[in-house]
Structures are given as structure tokens and as C-alpha cells.
Amino acid sequence: MANKWVYLFKEGDATMRNLLGGKGANLAEMTKLGLPVPQGFTVTTEACTQYYEDGKLINDEIMSQIMEHVGKLEEIAGKKFGDKENPLLVSVRSGARASMPGMMDTILNLGLNEEVVEILSTKSGNPRWAWDCYRRFIQMYSDVVMEVGKKHFESLIDKMKAQKGITEDVELTADDLKKLSEQFKAEYKSKLGEDFPTDPKAQLIGAIKAVFRSWDNPRANVYRRDNDIPYSWGTAVNVQMMAFGNMGNTSGTGVAFTRDPATGEKKLMGEFLMNAQGEDVVAGVRTPQHIDQLKDIMPEVYKEFVEICNTLENHYRDMQDMEFTIEDQKLYMLQTRNGKRTAFAALKIACDLVAEGMITEEKAVSMIDPRNLDTLLHPTFDAVVVKTREPIAKALAASPGAASGQIVFTAEDAKNQAAAGKRVVLVRLETSPEDIEGMKAAVGILTVRGGMTSHAAVVARGMGKCCVSGCSDIVMDEENKVFKLGGKEYHEGDIISFDGTTGKIYDGEIPTVEAQIVGEFGKIMEWADKYRTMKVRTNADTPEDARKARELGAEGIGLCRTEHMFFEGDRIDAFREMICSDTLEGREAALAKLLPVQQKDFEKIYEALEGHPVTIRFLDPPLHEFVPTSEEDIEKLAKAKSKTVEDIKAIINSLHEFNPMMGHRGCRLTVTYPEIAKMQTAAIIRAAISVSKAHPEWKLKPELMIPLVGESAEFNFVKKIVVEVADKEIAESGINLEYEVGTMIEIPRACLTADEIAKEAEFFCFGTNDLTQMTFGFSRDDAGKFLDSYYDAKIFESDPFVKVDQVGVGKLMEMAIKLGKAARPEIHIGICGEHGGDPSSVEFCHKIGLDYVSCSPFRVPIARLAAAQAAINSK
Ligand code: ADP
Ligand code: MG
Ligand code: MG
């Protein structure tokens, strides 16, 4: 049988999401539930993939199925494309598997032409409506299908309004709208050199192709990368009969949530506009009304809508985000989906649903997006300081969190200045999809216009970024990069603070404080811990970081880097003296100064961890990173070593390497200077002994980790040194201390020879930053310069330094695990690269059987949740 590329809404259901996209599957499901849905059909996501495979062409088979379904829809509707009596108008809507709000395009009122608009106008007795539909259609079609920018049409509307001395679109008359349609078509012709298409079927195909194309537009690509949505999924296209919200004052359109997407509170939330269509509500054309007001305007419709909301929420067992349109008092449902929400709301809703008996704990754990937890771990304003400050204004609390930073006026400036290391807040009239990257770069977003469902609000919540919207007190002059608020002028670079939880805006800087895991957050994390099987450790070099990570639930340290400890105060002097010694005695003398200091550091870390495991890694970076650069420091070092400045400079020069990341570093340092490893072993073991004496109940078992091993003999060489020193220290102490010597696995050769290495190594820890670098042969410090071109060329979908490359690097990891366990069944294996805090990488780590992931302190809760989800999903 030929492939089925097109489905009527009545042929599908919610389980067919992969094929029909989220929007299409839910339209089908709502149809099945008997809800009032304008009927239509869905062209599948597979058709989209096929379109790209065929070189951006709709092939004959797909084309004929589309046309066949146009016929079926005409029958269902009792209307026909281009008909003289009863013309059919449709919307053409994108809809991928995962919802990507606003990322792709929709066209409304398709099917109109000069003739049809006249028929509609006469038959309906509502010429204003007919011409409003037509001018909207020309606008959307030109913009979306032909890529003539929206702004050309908007400026024509603005001109018309100015001529007539009116401010609102709804004040335009039928005649005005007719004139506008003519002007629009003229604009179209002047831009494209051809007439606006009149054949509805040709319009339809143009629109379907445009939706397919929009899957590949730049903003969709960025959105997918940020949200882990594969390019290969494709988008479906929904062709649906129009419901008209713009027929006059008994019509309207709106959006609503069954629970508050900002707080999670169980109450209907939403906004609508009378006599409006499509995205007028979210576009901020007029200020929308609150959904409760619908009760007074149309009590019957309101009642029906509330019932539908309840039906949908109970059916999907999750908070729903719905779009509806009222056409002359009759309600139509146009979309429902599990609503996007703040992290805070997500936790509350999940816990409430469990309490309401709607879902299980496991389900609650799996419905939280780990990436969103970030926001909850972000700082809020220092409560004491904020009390002493008067807000200069208050607007909508659109997305929680606190932001304090330097003002920028464009997304471009936000991006550039953030890249230059500034904390910036983006202040704009309103935002649009072009601003996404700037919004990402800013610490907060403040807009003059827009409600709770405005672009800025929705996107900021998705990003977990603080946003205050609709601050109409601001007198904005975007062009000159200045605004007035609270009697003061603000220019680029001035500092302002605002709170996305209260909507309050303050002049100047306000210090922030860290968040805590309490309430619903605590409950979800408790459930996550109950279901996960992988441990979560942290990467921490200081007792403060270690303590923070413990508060956030870390069960140990997976990576304690020792090099950072050498930079503080006068330690660096001793370290430099060591580097610049040309004799063993000289180096030992310098190391002797460092030993007690390093021992103290380790003691503090063991104390902070209270008996939980700590993996300490030996010195890793190339020595060149430690040498002095200023003349003053060089002279100081020369004096200390009784050498000439020239001698020191010669030593520094001799340390220079062309490719230091592949140079004299890691365990190679121990091979040339065993005394460094001896000192570090002694410091670790002495620290453990002294802390064990104070706290015998902690049963410390130091884990000493050798970096950059690629050959078992190399590891064995270092291990022998470590064991000699450690055993001697332990014997002298008179207490019984066990310890383990293991290795980082970060060189491809170590994966290939893991069985050999595991004969002596007692644990492995994947250093996936270096492993990724060396597997790809990309410098992790420079890859950023060309990765963008890799995304554009679709070679990569994501940064392999952020998300583990499961195909290549992952294969090496699996090989290392298999070989390592065969040689030493009890070996424990973890990961301590940046990937340890990335949810999809954590899932992969669970799958390949790691014992733990280790990540930076603030990512610990994310890793705990991701690990639980991996365990639940693999059940
Ligand atoms: P998005 O995925 O960006 O939300 P949609 O496809 O949902 O895009 O459509 C954009 C707007 O057009 C929404 O407000 C939607 O309700 C409206 N719309 C889409 N199809 C129809 C239709 N058949 N009748 C009336 N309004 C529609
Ligand atoms: Mg849209
Ligand atoms: Mg929508």
C-alpha cells in the first residue's frame, strides 16, 4: 500500500503525535472527545521529511493525497474552495512533535480572492469582516510564503490610521480595509513583480510549502538547539476550516490556561479580545481582557468554555494551554497542549496533581523539565536591601527571578555586551522572535507593552529568565536608546533592577541571594532521589563550593581539581619556585612549602563532605599556565631563586608549547617530576588521617585520581609512587586508612586499552571535555569559532562539548566500561566533564551503566532529576 501522508482530524488521536505533530494530534483528540473543533486535515511530519528528501518538493503522491483531502474537507464543511455560493476558507498551521510556540508560521483566511471576498461580503452582510479577512490574508501570505516583510504592510496600515486620525485597527471601516487590500496587493506586485495568487489551491500549496520551509528557519533552528529537539522530526501541517473571531462584537478570540503558568495556582487564567483574529491577543495590538470578563459578555459561552477546560485537563491530566475563537456567539476550540510553565509552577502543578490523585509520583518526576530547575536555583533580591528601596514602577510579573544589570536596547547589543562579560538587562517596547538570542544573553527582560501571554513573557518563562512586561509607565525612545521612568532618564549602561516575581522595578543595583530547595521543590527532589539509581556528585575545588553542592544534594565530590589551589596568595610564588628549579632539591624545597598548605585545603574539603566520597585529581594543566608574565613577578622570582631575570625568562620560554592541551600535562608531569605526585599524595593522605582522627565515624577513603592516562604502564608508574608514599604515611600514623588509586578516562587510547588500565586502576572517571576534544580533534577553546557553521550546514545539531556525542564519544565510553568491568568487576565508574550536568547526557550515562555523574554545584538538582527520569523511563 502507498504511504498515508494525510489524515483527517477524525482519523487521528493524541497517541499519533510523532506523525501528526502535537497540534494535529490534539486537534484529532479534541475531535474524538466531541469538542467543537473546526474540521480539517493534517499533512504528516513524514511528508515534511520527504519534502526535504525530495529536494524541497512536494512529490506527486503527497500532492494527490492533499488534493483528495481538500475534497473530503469540502464535503465535511459543505463549502468549496473558490465557490460562488459557499466559499471555504482555511488556516494553514505548522505543528511539530514538540511545541515550538511562535517559531514557525501560520496563515489564516486562505482561499480568498477578489471574487470570493465580494461574495462573502454580500452574503454575510458584513463587508467589514470580509475585507478584514482579505487584508489579513494578503499580509500573512506575503510575509510567510513570499517573504515580503510584515513591516511594509504595517506601515501602510499606520499611514491609513494617521490619515483618518484613528489609533485602533478596529476603527478601520470596510472601505478602509478594501483600500488597504488594494494597496497591499500593489505592494506585493511591486516587490515580487507578479500578481497576488488568486487560485485557492495554488495558495494552499504555497502555504503548505512555506510551513515545511519554516521548519528550517533560523529562529526554529536556534529554538530546537536550546530545547533538544532533533531536526529530523519535521513539522506537520494542519489545514483547518476557519472560525472567525473578527465578525464583530459577538465574536472574539483568546488563549487560556487551566492553571496559572507563573505560579501553578489552580484557577483559569487567560486573555481575550472581541472582534479580533489569530494572534491579535498575543501580538499586543490592543490590550486584552481577562478571561473572567467573558462571563459578563457571554455567560453561555463562558460556561461552555469552563466545562471544556475541565474536560481537557482531566483528560490530559496536566495543565492545558488552549486557544479558542468565538464566531458570532459560537465557541470553537483551536488548540490545546500541555502548557509551558515556570519551573516554580511546574513543581507546584506536579505536586498538586499527585495530591489530587491524577498522577503518580513517577509521573510527577518525569513531567518536570530538568533544564527549568535552573531558574529556581537562581538568586532573588536580598530581602533586607529590597525593603529599604522604593520601586520606581510596577508592571506584570511575567517570569520569576531577579535581575540587576546594565541597560541595553537591542537584542544585538545584549548579545555583544554579554559576550564581553557584562550583566545586561534588555529593555524594549516589546520583543519578537528575532530577539531570542539577545533575550538569552540578558539576565532579565523588561518590556513596555504586552500582557502575560506576550512574546516576551512566554519566551522568558520558557528560558527560565526573569521578565517584567507591560510597563506602560516607561516613555521609550528605542531609536535614541533612552527611556524615561519615574522622572529619570535611563541610557544604555545605566543600572536598573527588577523582580519577575513581583513585577517591581527599581533604580540602580540590588544585591541578590541564592535560592534554597524547599517546599514543592524539596518534595520533587525527594521523589527523584527515591527513583534514581545513579549517584550524583559535584565538581568542587573549595570547601564553600562543596558545602553549597551538599546543600543541593550532592553525594560526594567527583572531581576536586588541585591546580586552582596553587593560584592563591603566596602559594603561587612557591609553585613558581618549584617550576623554575633546575635541581630535584630545589623542587623539593619549594614543594615542601606547598605541602602543609595543600594538606589544610584537603582537610577543609573532607570536613565539608562529612565522610562522603571525595575524588582528588593530581595536578593537570601544563606548567606554562603557572609562570609569571609581569616583569615585576619575574624579578621577584629571580630574586627568590637567586637567578638572573634572563635565566628565568629562558626557563619560561623553554616551557612554551605549541599545543599545550596535548603537551606536558596530566600524568606526564609525574613521569618527569615524580616529586609533585609525592607531595600531593602526602598532602591528601595526611589530611585524611588527621580528619579521620577527629571523626573516626566518617570512615574516610581517599580516592586519588591520575589525569590524562593513555597507557597502562604510565598509570602503573604513577600508581607505584602514590602507593609508596601513601603506605608510608599510613604506617607512620598508626591508623588504618584505606584508599583507592584510579584514573581519568579522557584520552581515546585509554578507552581502547581500558582492560589493561583497569588491572591496576581501582576506578575510572570519564573526563568528557578532553575526551570530546581528542575524539573529534577539536580544541574546546576554539571550537566555538566554527561550530555555528556546523549547525548551519546541519553537520551538527548541538555542541558536543555540551551534550555528549553518543555516537562517537559515547561508543568509546561504552567500550571503556565493558573492558574495564571485564578486568575488574568491582570497578566504580563516573563522569566529571561538563556533560555530567546536561540532562540528555545524564540519561545516556544512566543507560551505559555509570555509577555516578559529577557536575558543578548548581547543576546538582538538575542531574538528580535527570537521573531519576532516566531510571523511570528505562523501567
Ligand atoms: P502557533 O503554533 O504559533 O500558536 P497557530 O497555528 O496556533 O500558531 O495559529 C496562530 C493563531 O491563529 C492562533 O491564535 C490560532 O488560534 C489562530 N488560528 C489558527 N487556525 C485558525 C482557524 N482555523 N480559525 C481561527 N483561528 C485560527
Ligand atoms: Mg504563531
Ligand atoms: Mg497556537
Side-chain angles (χ1 to χ4, degrees):
M1 205 191 87
N3 245 322
K4 185 163 165 65
W5 302 103
V6 185
Y7 289 78
L8 287 172
F9 289 172
K10 17 179 215 199
E11 291 175 309
D13 63 45
T15 64
M16 294 164 75
R17 190 182 189 96
N18 292 358
L19 190 63
L20 303 179
K23 197 180 286 167
N26 286 337
L27 284 166
E29 188 77 9
M30 286 199 287
T31 302
K32 216 170 92 178
L33 290 173
L35 302 183
V37 176
Q39 284 303 290
F41 58 83
T42 305
V43 186
T44 65
T45 54
E46 286 175 0
C48 175
T49 318
Q50 190 64 43
Y51 162 85
Y52 281 103
E53 259 170 44
D54 291 339
K56 301 200 185 180
L57 273 178
I58 298 183
N59 70 32
D60 292 348
E61 188 178 81
I62 297 174
M63 186 67 88
S64 87
Q65 289 190 23
I66 291 172
M67 287 309 155
E68 181 194 327
H69 282 80
V70 168
K72 288 186 179 174
L73 179 59
E74 287 176 335
E75 226 165 87
I76 295 170
K79 295 180 179 185
K80 271 188 143 89
F81 263 156
D83 194 66
K84 307 248 166 335
E85 284 298 312
N86 230 343
L88 172 68
L89 301 192
V90 297
S91 65
V92 178
R93 322 170 64 185
S94 61
R97 263 194 233 183
S99 83
M100 297 169 55
M103 290 300 124
M104 289 179 292
D105 298 320
T106 286
I107 296 157
L108 305 180
N109 312 323
L110 186 140
L112 281 169
N113 56 34
E114 203 68 35
E115 211 178 358
V116 170
V117 74
E118 291 289 359
I119 294 162
L120 285 184
S121 163
T122 325
K123 294 212 84 157
S124 65
N126 190 346
R128 189 191 180 280
W129 160 70
W131 288 102
D132 186 47
C133 288
Y134 195 34
R135 68 91 190 170
R136 285 173 187 269
F137 172 55
I138 303 170
Q139 226 172 323
M140 279 183 264
Y141 193 91
S142 308
D143 176 37
V144 170
V145 183
M146 305 309 289
E147 287 160 29
V148 182
K150 259 193 270 231
K151 58 172 192 280
H152 302 295
F153 301 97
E154 271 157 16
S155 76
L156 287 170
I157 299 178
D158 287 343
K159 218 158 99 195
M160 170 82 74
K161 287 201 284 200
Q163 271 168 15
K164 313 247 324 178
I166 56 177
T167 55
E168 303 265 340
D169 289 2
V170 277
E171 294 171 86
L172 292 167
T173 65
D175 255 358
D176 298 337
L177 293 163
K178 184 173 179 175
K179 273 193 209 118
L180 272 179
S181 314
E182 272 146 26
Q183 291 174 8
F184 283 6
K185 279 192 289 186
E187 180 73 22
Y188 182 95
K189 188 159 186 184
S190 86
K191 285 270 164 355
L192 297 166
E194 57 187 70
D195 285 321
F196 190 80
T198 53
D199 173 18
K201 284 186 180 164
Q203 294 172 350
L204 177 68
I205 296 303
I208 291 176
K209 281 190 189 159
V211 171
F212 284 161
R213 279 202 306 271
S214 72
W215 177 250
D216 200 18
N217 75 29
R219 63 176 198 253
N221 283 324
V222 170
Y223 186 90
R224 270 197 297 275
R225 212 156 46 241
D226 290 347
N227 290 277
D228 274 352
I229 301 172
Y231 178 75
S232 63
W233 281 0
T235 180
V237 187
N238 301 289
V239 177
Q240 182 178 29
M241 269 175 73
M242 284 304 300
F244 297 102
N246 58 339
M247 278 193 144
N249 290 328
T250 54
S251 302
T253 183
V255 295
F257 295 88
T258 55
R259 301 186 190 221
D260 187 328
T263 65
E265 194 190 336
K266 188 172 182 182
K267 64 159 196 239
L268 191 58
M269 276 268 308
E271 290 168 336
F272 71 99
L273 271 179
M274 297 309 285
N275 197 12
Q277 188 173 59
E279 296 192 318
D280 291 0
V281 180
V282 290
V285 186
R286 277 177 280 152
T287 298
Q289 289 178 280
H290 192 274
I291 192 77
D292 292 347
Q293 291 172 278
L294 186 62
K295 199 194 268 175
D296 305 325
I297 302 176
M298 284 183 204
E300 286 303 308
V301 172
Y302 179 79
K303 189 164 157 260
E304 185 187 359
F305 183 65
V306 170
E307 274 164 22
I308 290 176
C309 291
N310 291 334
T311 304
L312 286 173
E313 195 184 87
N314 290 332
H315 185 70
Y316 286 100
R317 293 169 187 262
D318 195 358
M319 182 263 268
Q320 295 299 295
D321 166 4
M322 299 151 301
E323 291 173 3
F324 63 94
T325 281
I326 303 161
E327 175 180 323
D328 193 17
Q329 316 242 29
K330 164 112 186 66
L331 174 68
Y332 289 99
M333 296 303 295
L334 293 168
Q335 190 170 340
T336 192
R337 63 180 167 216
N338 294 342
K340 299 238 181 269
R341 61 204 77 179
T342 61
F344 181 81
L347 296 167
K348 174 158 173 53
I349 290 169
C351 289
D352 286 355
L353 288 171
V354 172
E356 290 161 28
M358 297 256 271
I359 59 170
T360 61
E361 288 172 11
E362 278 120 309
K363 175 76 195 161
V365 167
S366 7
M367 71 196 266
I368 311 286
D369 184 343
R371 288 167 305 186
N372 278 351
L373 292 184
D374 230 13
T375 26
L376 300 174
L377 300 163
H378 281 164
T380 48
F381 286 138
D382 181 323
V384 179
V385 178
V386 91
K387 252 194 212 136
T388 67
R389 305 282 285 272
E390 269 306 309
I392 48 172
K394 187 168 181 310
L396 291 175
S399 180
S404 194
Q406 300 189 357
I407 295 166
V408 290
F409 289 85
T410 69
E412 191 67 24
D413 290 342
K415 227 174 96 177
N416 295 338
Q417 300 198 19
K422 288 188 188 161
R423 288 173 59 82
V424 297
V425 294
L426 180 62
V427 185
R428 288 189 64 71
L429 272 177
E430 60 204 340
T431 63
S432 69
E434 294 86 271
D435 297 330
I436 298 262
E437 288 191 82
M439 294 171 75
K440 237 165 67 181
V443 294
I445 297 138
L446 173 61
T447 69
V448 181
R449 293 192 203 131
M452 288 299 284
T453 53
S454 66
H455 179 267
V458 172
V459 172
R461 283 200 294 270
M463 288 180 177
K465 191 133 288 180
C466 161
C467 175
V468 171
S469 70
C471 182
S472 49
D473 293 347
I474 292 179
V475 183
M476 171 63 91
D477 179 356
E478 273 186 349
E479 206 155 318
N480 294 305
K481 300 193 175 176
V482 53
F483 68 80
K484 280 198 203 113
L485 181 62
K488 190 176 155 180
E489 264 192 14
Y490 290 87
H491 299 266
E492 186 175 275
D494 291 347
I495 294 185
I496 195 167
S497 304
F498 46 88
D499 185 334
T501 317
T502 60
K504 289 179 185 162
I505 304 163
Y506 305 85
D507 181 48
E509 173 125 27
I510 300 181
T512 50
V513 287
E514 287 163 12
Q516 283 185 319
I517 302 186
V518 289
E520 272 107 11
F521 194 2
K523 197 184 271 179
I524 292 281
M525 292 318 297
E526 199 180 292
W527 290 336
D529 290 346
K530 189 160 139 191
Y531 295 104
R532 79 186 150 88
T533 52
M534 225 173 14
K535 298 258 183 232
V536 176
R537 295 197 190 182
T538 191
N539 300 347
D541 311 338
T542 65
E544 298 75 57
D545 278 359
R547 220 165 278 125
K548 181 81 226 166
R550 291 270 295 127
E551 268 170 47
L552 296 173
E555 297 164 290
I557 291 184
L559 174 64
C560 172
R561 302 175 178 90
T562 50
E563 51 270 19
H564 294 175
M565 299 172 170
F566 292 128
F567 280 103
E568 268 172 52
D570 46 7
R571 303 171 181 199
I572 189 67
D573 295 337
F575 199 76
R576 286 172 178 163
E577 287 170 28
M578 192 276 296
I579 296 173
C580 293
S581 302
D582 24 34
T583 61
L584 174 62
E585 293 70 39
R587 281 193 296 275
E588 280 177 344
L591 286 165
K593 291 189 198 168
L594 288 167
L595 174 58
V597 181
Q598 188 136 74
Q599 180 184 334
K600 262 268 146 341
D601 287 338
F602 295 143
E603 282 173 10
K604 284 191 205 138
I605 287 197
Y606 280 128
E607 274 157 13
L609 264 289
E610 301 179 319
H612 292 270
V614 180
T615 307
I616 297 173
R617 181 179 71 183
F618 281 30
L619 187 66
D620 183 47
L623 295 182
H624 193 253
E625 284 187 16
F626 297 93
V627 299
T629 48
S630 74
E631 284 296 327
E632 194 192 333
D633 286 346
I634 294 174
E635 273 166 33
K636 189 171 160 197
L637 183 56
K639 205 174 266 163
K641 297 296 311 176
S642 322
K643 286 185 191 288
T644 65
V645 166
E646 282 63 42
D647 287 343
I648 296 291
K649 285 187 175 167
I651 295 174
I652 293 173
N653 269 335
S654 74
L655 288 170
H656 172 81
E657 292 179 290
F658 284 103
N659 201 340
M661 288 306 272
M662 294 171 91
H664 191 192
R665 57 175 283 225
C667 62
R668 296 159 203 166
L669 292 171
T670 311
V671 176
T672 43
Y673 305 120
E675 52 281 7
I676 302 177
K678 285 183 188 163
M679 182 281 280
Q680 292 204 295
T681 306
I684 295 168
I685 298 295
R686 285 181 196 180
I689 289 168
S690 96
V691 175
S692 286
K693 282 184 175 161
H695 294 277
E697 73 282 8
W698 285 348
K699 301 203 173 36
L700 297 189
K701 186 175 184 184
E703 298 173 4
L704 299 89
M705 183 157 72
I706 316 301
L708 225 70
V709 165
E711 154 61 46
S712 58
E714 199 180 26
F715 177 80
N716 299 348
F717 177 90
V718 183
K719 183 177 171 185
K720 192 160 161 266
I721 294 167
V722 171
V723 169
E724 266 170 30
V725 175
D727 288 354
K728 184 166 157 273
E729 293 289 340
I730 293 168
E732 281 169 11
S733 78
I735 73 162
N736 188 12
L737 182 77
E738 284 181 45
Y739 62 94
E740 288 182 344
V741 189
T743 180
M744 297 279 287
I745 299 283
E746 52 191 335
I747 289 187
R749 195 178 186 283
C751 298
L752 300 168
T753 61
D755 46 351
E756 296 296 325
I757 295 171
K759 282 184 192 149
E760 287 296 324
E762 295 166 279
F763 63 87
F764 283 174
C765 187
F766 288 106
T768 44
N769 300 343
D770 268 309
L771 187 58
T772 300
Q773 163 167 275
M774 302 212 211
T775 302
F776 279 98
F778 289 167
S779 156
R780 65 200 229 209
D781 302 309
D782 298 315
K785 291 183 192 150
F786 56 79
L787 279 178
D788 275 336
S789 316
Y790 271 59
Y791 304 140
D792 292 345
K794 303 267 162 12
I795 298 170
F796 283 174
E797 282 191 45
S798 58
D799 182 344
F801 291 103
V802 174
K803 219 172 127 177
V804 165
D805 154 48
Q806 301 185 9
V807 178
V809 175
K811 191 184 272 181
L812 284 170
M813 291 170 75
E814 285 182 273
M815 177 185 291
I817 294 168
K818 198 166 149 230
L819 294 174
K821 286 194 172 165
R824 181 186 290 269
E826 75 284 6
I827 194 166
H828 64 93
I829 308 182
I831 178 175
C832 62
E834 286 304 305
H835 302 95
D838 167 66
S840 71
S841 308
V842 171
E843 185 180 14
F844 179 69
C845 292
H846 173 90
K847 247 193 253 161
I848 61 176
L850 292 193
D851 298 299
Y852 65 88
V853 297
S854 187
C855 56
S856 59
F858 279 97
R859 300 200 71 85
V860 165
I862 297 173
R864 285 160 73 192
L865 184 60
Q869 293 182 348
I872 291 167
N873 290 341
S874 66
K875 261 193 194 161

